[in-house]
Amino acid sequence: MQTGQFRTAPDAVRLIVAKEGFRGLFAGYGSFLLRDLPFDAIQFCIYEQLRIGYKLMAKRELKDPENALIGAFAGAITGAITTPLDVLKTRLMIQGQTKQYSGIVSCAKTILREEGPGAFLKGIEPRVLWIGIGGSIFFGVLEKTKSVLAERSSRKAALAEKDE
């Protein structure tokens, strides 16, 4: 649907299965994992390191907007770093029945040969923007949820102590 080939999700499923079989629904799944597993590991590491450093400099607990801003930076940096993997994933997923690429390595070699190294950064600007926004929301909500749950847990512990 991202490429404009289908009007609706049910149309996409029906046509993909008709042309490529059930397996066509999973085109690019390996490259999806190749992109998302490193993405998540990198993003969490960057976020935690930025958060630790900022907290040490501030010498206090961080406020919600600060956590969200650090999350935005972590997301944006990770989005930029993993853009080449996203390009590979997208190319493999949209090739359809043409089977232009036989796998990830074939895809990378073809892109490099036919389009040059700059092609691996196609779409980096919108990717950095939307993943930065997503990182801000995700990590902002994560930290707020952690603090609410910690507060609730300490209140329960205090009530339990009082009852004893």
Side-chain angles (χ1 to χ4, degrees):
M1 291 188 64
Q2 285 179 314
T3 62
Q5 296 179 44
F6 312 103
R7 285 190 357 222
T8 65
D11 283 347
V13 171
R14 193 172 27 262
L15 291 168
I16 290 169
V17 170
K19 288 181 181 178
E20 302 173 44
F22 185 71
R23 191 176 168 107
L25 295 173
F26 297 94
Y29 186 69
S31 58
F32 160 76
L33 290 176
L34 179 71
R35 179 203 63 184
D36 277 25
L37 295 177
F39 178 93
D40 290 339
I42 293 166
Q43 185 178 31
F44 274 94
C45 288
I46 289 173
Y47 174 74
E48 284 300 324
Q49 291 306 305
L50 288 174
R51 193 168 181 282
I52 289 167
Y54 190 88
K55 199 171 172 181
L56 287 171
M57 286 176 38
K59 296 180 180 161
R60 60 175 168 75
E61 290 299 314
L62 304 183
K63 297 177 179 146
D64 294 341
E66 293 169 318
N67 286 318
L69 187 61
I70 292 168
F73 277 114
I77 293 165
T78 307
I81 291 169
T82 59
T83 295
L85 297 174
D86 189 56
V87 169
L88 291 170
K89 184 258 331 161
T90 302
R91 298 289 180 93
L92 288 164
M93 289 180 99
I94 65 170
Q95 72 178 331
Q97 282 185 305
T98 63
K99 297 296 179 209
Q100 182 181 0
Y101 316 110
S102 60
I104 295 167
V105 174
S106 162
C107 184
K109 285 180 179 179
T110 303
I111 292 170
L112 188 59
R113 182 179 63 251
E114 294 179 3
E115 301 174 58
F120 289 103
L121 297 178
K122 283 187 176 181
I124 192 170
E125 298 91 351
R127 181 171 165 76
V128 163
L129 179 64
W130 77 264
I131 293 177
I133 292 168
S136 172
I137 294 166
F138 175 80
F139 285 109
V141 170
L142 174 71
E143 293 302 334
K144 184 64 178 177
T145 302
K146 284 170 46 180
S147 70
V148 166
L149 291 175
E151 194 176 303
R152 186 180 294 171
S153 178
S154 65
R155 269 188 281 161
K156 281 184 181 179
L159 286 173
E161 265 183 39
K162 198 176 188 183
D163 289 343
E164 289 177 8

